Amino acid sequence: AANPLWGGRFAAGHAAVMERINASIGFDRRLYAQDIAGSKAHARMLGKAGIVSAEDVERIVAGLDTILAEIEAGKFEFKIALEDIHMNVESRLTELIGPAAGRLHTARSRNDQIALDFKLWVRDAVDGLDEQMKDLQAALLDLAERHAGTVMPGYTHLQAAQPVTFGHHLMAYVEMLGRDRGRMADARRRMNESPLGAAALAGTSFPIDRHMTAAALGFDRPMANSLDAVSDRDYALEFLSAAAIASIHLSRFAEEIVLWCADGFKFIRLTDAYTTGSSIMPQKRNPDAAELVRAKAGRVIGALNSLLIVLKGLPLTYGKDMQDDKEPTFEAADTLSLALAAMAGMVRDMTADPERMRAATDKGFITATDLADWLVRTLGIPFREAHHVTGRCVRKAEDRGCALAELSLAELQAEHPGITDAIYDVLTVDRSVASRTSFGGTAPDGVRARIADAREKYLA
Ligand code: ARG
């Protein structure tokens, strides 16, 4: 059958495969609330501008409200023959209110309509994800507070490097999430201009008020160029970029959770709520949720790549290619949302094992830097030389199979005669950690101060 929207020009219907490749209703039905909100704003503006009568506007708005209620109640029948969300809604509006429905699309095209719907959806996604990132920060801050003084090894190259506190380590992720939220907020600010009223591509001859619809839909202003308004999806790219970076952060944290649960570490424990057993090995408690968060970053990165590739080389203005912007964006938003929820759940679920963490600091001569710093501070020798002296002490301890602090004073003095037994004070991990008082360092008091700052900055 001919299409109800452009049937004037077309006599016959679509091939079945054409319908399948062309239709977007399978996924763009998720835009129903945005589509209806945009249509209501557009209808009211048409009324105010005297383009559509007040009675018809009332009918249209009431009909749209009915449709919204039908969709939310699960009573709306989405039809693939009607291609997309716009035509499904308009067709139902026609059933409900008759010919007045046909006036809604005055001075509008599906090109500005979809640009609007999708942008509203991305904006909502940004807001929802911001809340979730904030919640993960809150969970991290609580755990960090409890462990501001819990000593653990800090690593470089996955080798014990210098002692830090668990709270300090967790706070690193609070900061990353703070920047992730900042990137989302930047994207939101830049995207917050309305494409509605660009019509197909050139604007319209009707006396519309784009400022009115922009304000009604919470935008700062209308977009300044109609061609740009219907062609660009950089707002989705910015969203996906921010989402990809955030998912990288989550994947690194997830990997650390996996490590911390692993044999040889056992720094933390997750309860049954966030682990799975093995079908054959009864002793197993696998951190599957963390592993999945680690994996799922790939989908978000993939989504960013997909959309970049869809848009690459696309001439202005609208091309149907752009319909392929939605699925990757939806998937990225869903995936990041799930990953954030799982991470917040795991952070609230985990218990740290301070004894195991401290025991791990015995390995790897973790206070070697403290020894070198002492030589610089106390004896005034250049750091480079102190590094060599310390290196020889480490080699000696390694040969003897003991800790640095277990070398005798005579053994240490053989490497530098100026060493006194005051050196033993700086070789303990607690002294090491407490001495890192530089701003942003791991000294427990500093960590507590940064936690207080972060609560103020991120949770207020
Ligand atoms: N379903 C389409 C999309 O998602 C809506 C816009 C259709 N516009 C057009 N000129 N065919 O992009």
Side-chain angles (χ1 to χ4, degrees):
N3 186 289
L5 278 118
W6 56 74
R9 169 80 169 68
F10 286 72
H14 279 153
V17 70
M18 174 60 189
E19 193 166 271
R20 275 206 292 137
I21 193 169
N22 195 43
S24 54
I25 189 62
F27 49 88
D28 71 12
R29 64 171 69 186
R30 279 183 79 164
L31 302 175
Y32 74 87
Q34 291 79 10
D35 192 74
I36 289 171
S39 286
K40 283 166 68 174
H42 184 66
R44 290 196 177 109
M45 181 279 294
L46 291 174
K48 182 103 183 297
I51 300 165
V52 173
S53 72
E55 304 80 68
D56 280 348
V57 170
E58 235 168 83
R59 281 187 204 106
I60 290 169
V61 169
L64 289 168
D65 282 334
T66 304
I67 294 170
L68 182 65
E70 286 176 354
I71 295 175
E72 291 190 329
K75 288 191 193 122
F76 188 91
E77 198 202 329
F78 291 100
K79 298 189 183 118
I80 189 173
L82 291 170
E83 203 179 311
D84 58 25
I85 183 65
H86 322 302
M87 299 204 278
N88 270 271
V89 169
E90 189 178 321
S91 157
R92 178 68 183 137
L93 190 63
T94 307
E95 283 171 21
L96 287 171
I97 68 167
R103 299 191 186 280
L104 171 60
H105 212 54
T106 314
R108 187 177 73 170
S109 155
R110 282 188 299 156
N111 294 350
D112 59 337
Q113 195 176 356
I114 190 60
L116 172 72
D117 293 5
F118 191 42
K119 191 179 262 192
L120 288 172
W121 193 93
V122 172
R123 200 178 68 178
D124 288 344
V126 165
D127 292 343
L129 289 166
D130 181 69
E131 271 306 311
Q132 287 192 273
M133 292 196 246
K134 182 176 172 185
D135 180 60
L136 178 53
Q137 285 181 309
L140 283 164
L141 280 160
D142 288 345
L143 190 61
E145 192 129 64
R146 293 204 290 285
H147 292 287
T150 302
V151 173
M152 71 180 275
Y155 296 90
T156 62
H157 312 273
L158 209 50
Q159 315 254 341
Q162 294 178 357
V164 297
T165 73
F166 187 43
H168 192 53
H169 192 115
L170 295 170
M171 287 301 291
Y173 288 106
V174 170
E175 292 301 313
M176 289 178 232
L177 285 160
R179 289 191 299 279
D180 290 331
R181 292 177 65 191
R183 269 180 285 273
M184 288 284 179
D186 288 344
R188 192 192 198 286
R189 209 170 301 120
R190 217 167 358 260
M191 82 174 69
N192 207 32
E193 297 186 346
S194 173
L196 186 61
L201 72 164
T204 175
S205 56
F206 289 99
I208 60 170
D209 183 351
R210 293 189 60 209
H211 291 86
M212 178 180 167
T213 47
L217 295 163
F219 289 107
D220 297 327
R221 63 192 75 85
M223 291 177 78
N225 183 290
S226 63
L227 304 176
D228 175 44
V230 296
S231 344
D232 208 1
R233 296 292 184 266
D234 60 351
Y235 59 91
L237 290 177
E238 283 197 48
F239 166 69
L240 290 172
S241 308
I245 295 171
S247 71
I248 293 290
H249 290 152
L250 296 188
S251 78
R252 296 182 74 172
F253 187 20
E255 163 65 5
E256 297 207 299
I257 290 177
V258 173
L259 274 177
W260 293 341
C261 289
D263 296 318
F265 284 85
K266 294 271 184 254
F267 286 177
I268 62 165
R269 186 182 154 89
L270 294 169
T271 71
D272 296 357
Y274 286 91
T275 49
T276 61
S278 158
S279 57
I280 175 167
M281 298 165 284
Q283 82 280 15
K284 285 288 203 172
R285 179 190 279 285
N286 300 322
D288 288 23
E291 292 173 9
L292 286 162
V293 170
R294 188 172 62 181
K296 280 178 190 296
R299 296 192 190 219
V300 183
I301 297 161
L304 170 61
N305 275 310
S306 292
L307 187 53
L308 284 167
I309 294 163
V310 165
L311 294 172
K312 179 189 173 295
L314 210 59
L316 304 190
T317 55
Y318 181 85
K320 199 66 174 252
D321 313 50
M322 290 166 76
Q323 176 165 289
D324 247 27
D325 56 1
K326 287 164 213 67
E327 284 165 295
T329 306
F330 292 161
E331 185 180 26
D334 292 345
T335 302
L336 182 56
S337 172
L338 182 60
L340 283 165
M343 292 305 277
M346 280 187 278
V347 170
R348 293 195 167 98
D349 182 72
M350 69 173 69
T351 12
D353 186 335
E355 279 79 53
R356 296 270 321 171
M357 289 182 179
R358 177 175 290 271
T361 63
D362 284 348
K363 299 189 194 79
F365 312 107
I366 200 164
T367 54
T369 316
D370 299 270
L371 198 163
D373 287 350
W374 185 91
L375 295 171
V376 170
R377 220 171 23 245
T378 317
L379 306 179
I381 67 176
F383 182 79
R384 219 18 90 203
E385 188 188 335
H387 188 288
H388 286 294
V389 172
T390 307
R392 290 196 298 271
C393 296
V394 166
R395 174 133 51 95
K396 194 171 269 184
E398 201 165 34
D399 289 346
R400 278 198 40 202
C402 71
L404 270 178
E406 285 163 1
L407 292 174
S408 70
L409 187 56
E411 283 172 310
L412 290 166
Q413 282 172 339
E415 302 309 332
H416 197 290
I419 294 178
T420 67
D421 62 5
I423 191 85
Y424 291 107
D425 274 351
V426 302
L427 295 181
T428 69
V429 289
D430 291 293
R431 288 296 296 267
S432 170
V433 157
S435 73
R436 298 294 196 273
T437 52
S438 55
F439 184 86
T442 195
D445 287 343
V447 172
R448 285 185 194 100
R450 299 292 78 75
I451 291 172
D453 293 347
R455 285 195 187 284
E456 190 68 19
K457 181 172 175 192
Y458 298 124
L459 304 188

Coordinates of all heavy atoms in Angstrom, one line a residue, residues 6 22-25 27-28 31 83-87 109-115 117-118 200 230 233 318-326, ligand 1:
W6 N 3.7 10.1 2.4 CA 4.1 10.6 1.1 C 3.4 9.9 -0.1 O 3.9 9.9 -1.2 CB 5.6 10.6 0.9 CG 6.2 9.2 1.1 CD1 6.1 8.2 0.2 CD2 7.0 8.8 2.2 NE1 6.8 7.1 0.7 CE2 7.3 7.4 1.9 CE3 7.4 9.4 3.4 CZ2 8.0 6.7 2.8 CZ3 8.1 8.6 4.3 CH2 8.4 7.3 4.0
N22 N 14.9 -0.1 6.2 CA 14.5 1.3 6.3 C 13.9 1.7 7.6 O 14.1 2.8 8.1 CB 13.5 1.6 5.1 CG 13.4 3.1 4.9 OD1 14.4 3.9 4.9 ND2 12.1 3.6 4.7
A23 N 13.2 0.8 8.2 CA 12.4 1.1 9.4 C 13.4 1.3 10.6 O 14.3 0.6 10.8 CB 11.4 0.0 9.7
S24 N 13.1 2.3 11.4 CA 13.8 2.5 12.6 C 13.0 2.4 13.9 O 13.5 2.5 15.0 CB 14.5 3.9 12.6 OG 13.5 4.9 12.3
I25 N 11.7 2.0 13.7 CA 10.8 2.0 14.8 C 11.2 1.0 15.9 O 11.0 1.2 17.1 CB 9.3 1.8 14.4 CG1 8.4 2.0 15.6 CG2 9.1 0.4 13.8 CD1 8.4 3.4 16.1
F27 N 14.0 0.6 17.1 CA 14.8 1.2 18.2 C 14.4 2.7 18.5 O 14.5 3.1 19.6 CB 16.3 1.1 17.8 CG 16.7 1.6 16.4 CD1 17.0 2.9 16.2 CD2 16.7 0.7 15.4 CE1 17.3 3.3 14.9 CE2 17.1 1.1 14.1 CZ 17.3 2.4 13.8
D28 N 13.9 3.4 17.5 CA 13.7 4.8 17.8 C 12.3 5.0 18.6 O 12.0 6.1 19.0 CB 13.8 5.7 16.6 CG 12.7 5.6 15.6 OD1 11.7 5.0 15.9 OD2 12.9 6.2 14.5
L31 N 12.4 7.0 21.6 CA 12.4 8.5 21.6 C 11.0 9.0 21.8 O 10.7 10.2 21.6 CB 13.0 9.0 20.3 CG 14.4 8.6 20.0 CD1 14.8 9.1 18.6 CD2 15.4 9.1 21.0
E83 N 7.4 3.0 9.7 CA 8.8 3.3 9.6 C 9.4 3.8 10.9 O 10.3 3.1 11.5 CB 9.1 4.4 8.6 CG 10.5 4.4 8.1 CD 10.7 5.4 7.0 OE1 9.9 5.5 6.0 OE2 11.7 6.2 7.1
D84 N 9.0 4.9 11.4 CA 9.7 5.5 12.6 C 8.8 6.0 13.6 O 7.5 6.0 13.5 CB 10.8 6.5 12.2 CG 10.2 7.7 11.4 OD1 9.0 8.0 11.6 OD2 10.9 8.3 10.6
I85 N 9.3 6.5 14.7 CA 8.5 7.0 15.8 C 7.7 8.2 15.4 O 6.5 8.3 15.8 CB 9.4 7.4 17.1 CG1 8.6 7.8 18.3 CG2 10.4 8.5 16.7 CD1 7.7 6.7 18.8
H86 N 8.2 9.0 14.5 CA 7.5 10.3 14.1 C 6.2 9.9 13.4 O 5.1 10.4 13.7 CB 8.3 11.1 13.2 CG 9.8 11.2 13.6 ND1 10.2 11.6 14.8 CD2 10.9 10.8 12.9 CE1 11.5 11.5 14.9 NE2 12.0 11.0 13.7
M87 N 6.3 8.9 12.5 CA 5.1 8.6 11.7 C 4.1 7.7 12.5 O 2.9 7.8 12.3 CB 5.5 7.9 10.4 CG 6.4 8.9 9.6 SD 6.4 8.6 7.9 CE 7.6 7.3 7.7
S109 N 10.0 19.3 9.5 CA 10.4 18.1 8.8 C 10.8 17.0 9.7 O 11.1 17.3 10.9 CB 11.6 18.5 7.8 OG 12.3 17.3 7.5
R110 N 10.8 15.8 9.3 CA 11.4 14.8 10.1 C 12.9 15.0 10.4 O 13.5 14.5 11.3 CB 11.2 13.4 9.6 CG 9.8 12.9 9.8 CD 9.6 11.4 9.4 NE 10.0 11.3 7.9 CZ 10.4 10.1 7.4 NH1 10.6 9.1 8.1 NH2 10.6 10.1 6.1
N111 N 13.5 15.8 9.5 CA 14.9 16.1 9.7 C 15.2 16.9 11.0 O 16.1 16.6 11.7 CB 15.5 16.7 8.5 CG 15.5 15.8 7.3 OD1 15.2 14.6 7.4 ND2 15.7 16.3 6.1
D112 N 14.5 18.0 11.1 CA 14.7 18.7 12.4 C 14.0 18.0 13.6 O 14.5 18.1 14.7 CB 14.2 20.2 12.3 CG 12.8 20.4 11.9 OD1 12.2 19.5 11.4 OD2 12.3 21.5 12.3
Q113 N 13.0 17.2 13.3 CA 12.3 16.5 14.3 C 13.2 15.5 14.9 O 13.3 15.4 16.2 CB 11.1 15.8 13.7 CG 10.1 15.3 14.8 CD 8.8 14.8 14.1 OE1 8.6 14.8 12.9 NE2 7.9 14.3 15.0
I114 N 13.9 14.7 14.1 CA 14.8 13.7 14.7 C 16.0 14.3 15.3 O 16.5 13.8 16.4 CB 15.2 12.6 13.6 CG1 15.9 11.4 14.3 CG2 16.1 13.2 12.5 CD1 15.1 10.7 15.3
A115 N 16.5 15.4 14.7 CA 17.7 16.0 15.3 C 17.3 16.5 16.8 O 18.1 16.3 17.7 CB 18.1 17.2 14.5
D117 N 14.6 15.2 18.7 CA 14.3 14.1 19.6 C 15.6 13.4 20.1 O 15.7 13.1 21.3 CB 13.5 13.0 18.8 CG 12.2 13.4 18.4 OD1 11.8 14.6 18.6 OD2 11.4 12.6 17.8
F118 N 16.5 13.2 19.2 CA 17.7 12.5 19.6 C 18.6 13.4 20.5 O 19.1 12.9 21.5 CB 18.5 12.2 18.3 CG 19.7 11.2 18.5 CD1 19.5 10.1 19.4 CD2 20.9 11.4 17.9 CE1 20.6 9.2 19.5 CE2 21.9 10.5 18.0 CZ 21.8 9.5 18.9
A200 N 13.3 21.0 6.8 CA 14.0 20.0 6.1 C 15.5 20.3 6.1 O 16.3 19.4 6.4 CB 13.5 19.8 4.7
V230 N 20.3 20.2 11.0 CA 19.8 18.9 10.6 C 20.9 17.9 10.2 O 20.6 16.7 10.0 CB 18.8 19.0 9.4 CG1 17.5 19.7 9.8 CG2 19.4 19.6 8.1
R233 N 25.8 15.6 14.2 CA 25.5 14.8 15.3 C 26.7 14.9 16.3 O 27.0 13.9 17.0 CB 25.3 13.3 14.9 CG 24.1 13.1 14.1 CD 22.8 13.3 14.9 NE 21.6 13.0 14.1 CZ 20.9 13.9 13.3 NH1 21.3 15.2 13.3 NH2 19.8 13.5 12.7
Y318 N 21.0 16.2 5.5 CA 20.6 14.9 6.0 C 20.8 13.8 5.0 O 20.5 13.9 3.8 CB 19.1 14.9 6.4 CG 18.6 13.6 7.0 CD1 18.8 13.3 8.4 CD2 18.0 12.7 6.2 CE1 18.4 12.1 8.9 CE2 17.6 11.4 6.7 CZ 17.8 11.2 8.1 OH 17.4 10.0 8.6
G319 N 21.3 12.7 5.5 CA 21.3 11.4 4.7 C 20.8 10.3 5.6 O 21.0 10.4 6.8
K320 N 20.2 9.3 5.0 CA 19.6 8.3 5.9 C 20.7 7.6 6.7 O 20.3 6.9 7.7 CB 18.8 7.3 5.0 CG 17.8 6.4 5.8 CD 16.7 7.3 6.4 CE 15.6 6.5 7.1 NZ 14.3 6.4 6.3
D321 N 21.9 7.7 6.3 CA 23.0 7.1 7.1 C 22.8 7.6 8.6 O 23.1 6.8 9.5 CB 24.4 7.7 6.7 CG 24.6 7.7 5.2 OD1 23.7 8.1 4.4 OD2 25.7 7.2 4.8
M322 N 22.3 8.8 8.7 CA 22.3 9.3 10.1 C 21.3 8.6 11.0 O 21.3 8.8 12.2 CB 22.0 10.8 10.0 CG 23.2 11.6 9.4 SD 22.9 13.2 8.9 CE 22.8 14.0 10.5
Q323 N 20.4 7.9 10.4 CA 19.5 7.1 11.2 C 20.3 6.0 12.0 O 19.8 5.6 13.1 CB 18.5 6.3 10.3 CG 17.5 5.4 11.0 CD 16.4 5.0 10.1 OE1 15.5 5.9 9.9 NE2 16.3 3.8 9.6
D324 N 21.5 5.7 11.5 CA 22.3 4.7 12.2 C 23.1 5.3 13.4 O 24.0 4.7 13.9 CB 23.3 4.1 11.2 CG 23.0 2.6 11.0 OD1 21.8 2.2 11.2 OD2 23.9 1.8 10.7
D325 N 22.7 6.5 13.8 CA 23.3 7.1 15.0 C 22.8 6.6 16.3 O 23.4 6.7 17.3 CB 23.2 8.7 14.9 CG 21.7 9.1 14.8 OD1 20.8 8.3 14.8 OD2 21.5 10.4 14.7
K326 N 21.5 6.1 16.2 CA 20.8 5.8 17.5 C 21.3 4.5 18.2 O 21.5 4.6 19.4 CB 19.3 5.8 17.2 CG 18.8 7.2 17.0 CD 17.5 7.2 16.4 CE 17.3 8.4 15.4 NZ 18.2 8.3 14.2
Ligands
ARG1 N1 14.1 7.8 11.1 C1 14.8 8.9 10.6 C2 16.1 9.0 11.4 O1 16.3 8.4 12.4 C3 14.1 10.2 10.8 C4 14.4 11.2 9.8 C5 13.9 10.8 8.4 N2 14.2 11.8 7.5 C6 14.2 11.6 6.2 N3 14.5 12.6 5.4 N4 14.0 10.4 5.7 O2 17.1 9.7 10.9

